Amino acid sequence: METETHAAYKSRWLPWILLLPTFVILLVFLYYPTLETFRLSLYRVAFLGIRKTFVGLENYQDLFTNPEYRRIFWNTVVYSSLVVFFSMAVGLFLSVLANQKVRGWRFYRLMLIWPYALSPAVAGVIFLFLFNPQAGIVNYFLDVLFGIRPDWLTHPGLAMFVLVAAAVWKNVGYNVVFYLAALQNLPGDVLEAALIDGATPWQRFWKVTFPLLSPMTFFLFVMNTIYAFFDTFPFVDLLTKGGPNGATNVLIYNIYRDGFEFYKTGMAAAQSVVLFVGVVILTVLQFRWGERRVHYGG
Amino acid sequence: MKRLVVVLALAALALPALAAEKVKVTFWHAFGGGRTAFIQRMVDDFNYTHPGIEVKAEYKGSYRDTLNAAILAARQGNPPHIVQIFEVGTQMALDSGIFVPVEDYVPAILKFQLEDYIKPVANYYRIKGKFNSVPWNSSNPILYYNKTIFKKAGLDPANPPKTFGEVMEACKKIEATKAAPKCITWPLHSWFVEQWIAEQGALLANNENGRAARATDVYIDSPAMRRIVEWWKAMYDKGYYVYSGKPEDWDGANQLFVSQQAAMEITSTSDVTFMQNAAFENGFELGTGFLPIPDGVERNGTVVGGASLWLTKGHPQDEMTAALTFLIWFTNTENMVRWHKGTGYFPVLNTSVKVLEWQHWFERNPAYRAAFDQLLQTKLNRATQGALLGPFPEIRTIIENMIQAIFQGKPIDQALKEADAAADKALKEYNAAVGK
């Protein structure tokens, strides 16, 4: 290693100098805010920091004993699991279909990827219109077909469904892109061998294709988890505002609310730390448990 | 030659600096869309008639965004001079310590304007005898109704329901005659709850609504609140009340009323202009009436909603003077008339009202009449003065969650008790955080 570095760079310092901008950016925009968040979580803060009182772990104590917050944690787990599972399952299903050489495949693929190009805010507004109880097109068709008009956003379960649907719809395109790429790179000889051995399409998929896709599945699992935790704020804000009665209040939305609407910066910081630790643990677990099952092929 | 060019260039650079030693004033507000342009036109007029001052108006997003931005700017030592803050942010603005009480800075010769505010407005914004901010955009909730649907349902289009019971009766008729798919809508917003509590002459918080001293107890578990939620729940269960499903969804409620899905809507008077245009476009006749109140209680009146203009501290004397000059000009008699006509917000000065009356404005625009009469008939007491609560935004969310929980079937007793405890806790934490 030593010799290699010296071969590339004459000076010992040059690589460090070249890395410096990256470090500065990381330090200013990533490490400093992270540390500051940890620090603030130990304070009771008024007015975004004009006044601070050290309270130790009081914020955390409140977080873990208050039933409201426990409910938020639970909502987050339910919401994230549903979003991750369905956006990957639907993504895989659609990409297997789109991988077939049917007429107009280019068009199908484009249409599948297209929702990903929309911003979450636009997607949120589209779903708001679709699921509007009185004027939405979903209820119009349900009324015509079955004579029912559910109040989508007033019922806790239905509101959660709409949110999950919106988040899944938005992210399926991303999964389709990656799964399609993976499907196209599968070794044809293995599938051919399976075909010759008389495996049914069902067997071929679950015994050959799916295991071969496992590296991609693993990668997408990590990415979708991050998406479900961090990037779904606009859907909650636009569609339900955490309602009805906090049934769709997830952690990322509540952090914003506590921090910038209710001015409880200390509480918001404590929740950010919990979210941070949760995602770190999850990622470590995913690598520990996931890697073993992943088959990287030859 | 070269030297001459350099000298000339330098002179050219220095010239505007010499010529335009204007005092710069920054003004942050929360009005987007057409109102941004409207405010800009007024600011342009000011700059034109006041050559020594240059006011820069900036739209900063929602009320909350504007307040956040102002606090952050003040922390960095560079706050805007004037900030628009919503009425429920009043206690917060006082506690933040980044503002000065405006009344202390108004020169004696202009004090007359502070005496000119109509009573309900002065009542809200005069805290412990002093204007801490300049009242600007003020509104109330009123009832808008579709006269065309009323006629179809056999209801008297000249006589809108005035009480909860009458609303229920009207809804029964509208449902029976199928005159409209739904009867009434309003945003699921705590603002209406606060208004209905004031209408009953009841308080929302102790220490006289937080006006005599800092509030330490929120009154959610009260008979006044119970009257409101019992009726609201019955209206919801019968399918008379409809909303989009999202809390604080003003546009959703307007959409339901304007598209004639609902025969009535309760919303802000600041929408009068919008409603008139929408009724015309959608081909129905619009009526306005007082906010319906619980049966059997005396009508106390409404609390002034909206926002006021605050002056931040820490500016040189000339900038303070310029900012005040603008503030007083911006809310003077003629500009309040102009503001009212352009937006539907109340003309908050007595002299502006006189001008409008002299122009027979209310006769020519009857939709504004109900809004304004309701305001003028408001009794002046602690209830209609409105509560001062630090964590008001959070308490609003608590109240809205409570109502949704009641819709879902949570017993009213339990819901009120829980919300009361949650609001008290929020208040306690806020008071502790600001060190009071």
Side-chain angles (χ1 to χ4, degrees), chain B residues 314-368:
Chain B
H315 305 287
Q317 191 52 47
D318 58 333
E319 290 180 16
M320 281 306 243
T321 312
L324 265 168
T325 310
F326 173 71
L327 267 183
I328 298 293
W329 177 90
F330 194 60
T331 55
N332 68 13
T333 308
E334 53 267 41
N335 280 320
M336 269 299 145
V337 171
R338 183 178 178 187
W339 177 244
H340 168 71
K341 287 182 178 174
T343 62
Y345 278 110
F346 290 133
V348 292
L349 297 175
N350 283 310
T351 47
S352 310
V353 179
K354 277 191 195 132
V355 171
L356 289 163
E357 277 169 353
W358 183 77
Q359 294 176 336
H360 295 268
W361 167 261
F362 295 111
E363 283 89 325
R364 288 187 286 135
N365 297 276
Y368 292 99

Side-chain angles (χ1 to χ4, degrees), chain A residues 174-185:
Chain A
Y174 180 84
N175 293 332
V176 167
V177 172
F178 280 92
Y179 268 134
L180 253 183
L183 282 169
Q184 314 227 306
N185 284 324

Side-chain angles (χ1 to χ4, degrees), chain A residues 133-187:
Chain A
Q134 281 78 35
I137 194 146
V138 171
N139 270 10
Y140 172 77
F141 282 118
L142 285 178
D143 198 17
V144 169
L145 294 174
F146 309 106
I148 50 164
R149 301 183 77 91
D151 275 344
W152 290 101
L153 301 179
T154 0
H155 185 280
L158 294 180
M160 184 59 100
F161 168 80
V162 173
L163 269 192
V164 171
V168 167
W169 181 79
K170 168 77 181 71
N171 212 35
V172 152
Y174 180 84
N175 293 332
V176 167
V177 172
F178 280 92
Y179 268 134
L180 253 183
L183 282 169
Q184 314 227 306
N185 284 324
L186 285 186

Side-chain angles (χ1 to χ4, degrees), chain B residues 82-98:
Chain B
I82 301 165
V83 189
Q84 181 194 15
I85 293 175
F86 56 165
E87 85 286 33
V88 292
T90 302
Q91 183 66 48
M92 225 181 247
L94 284 173
D95 292 333
S96 73
I98 66 168

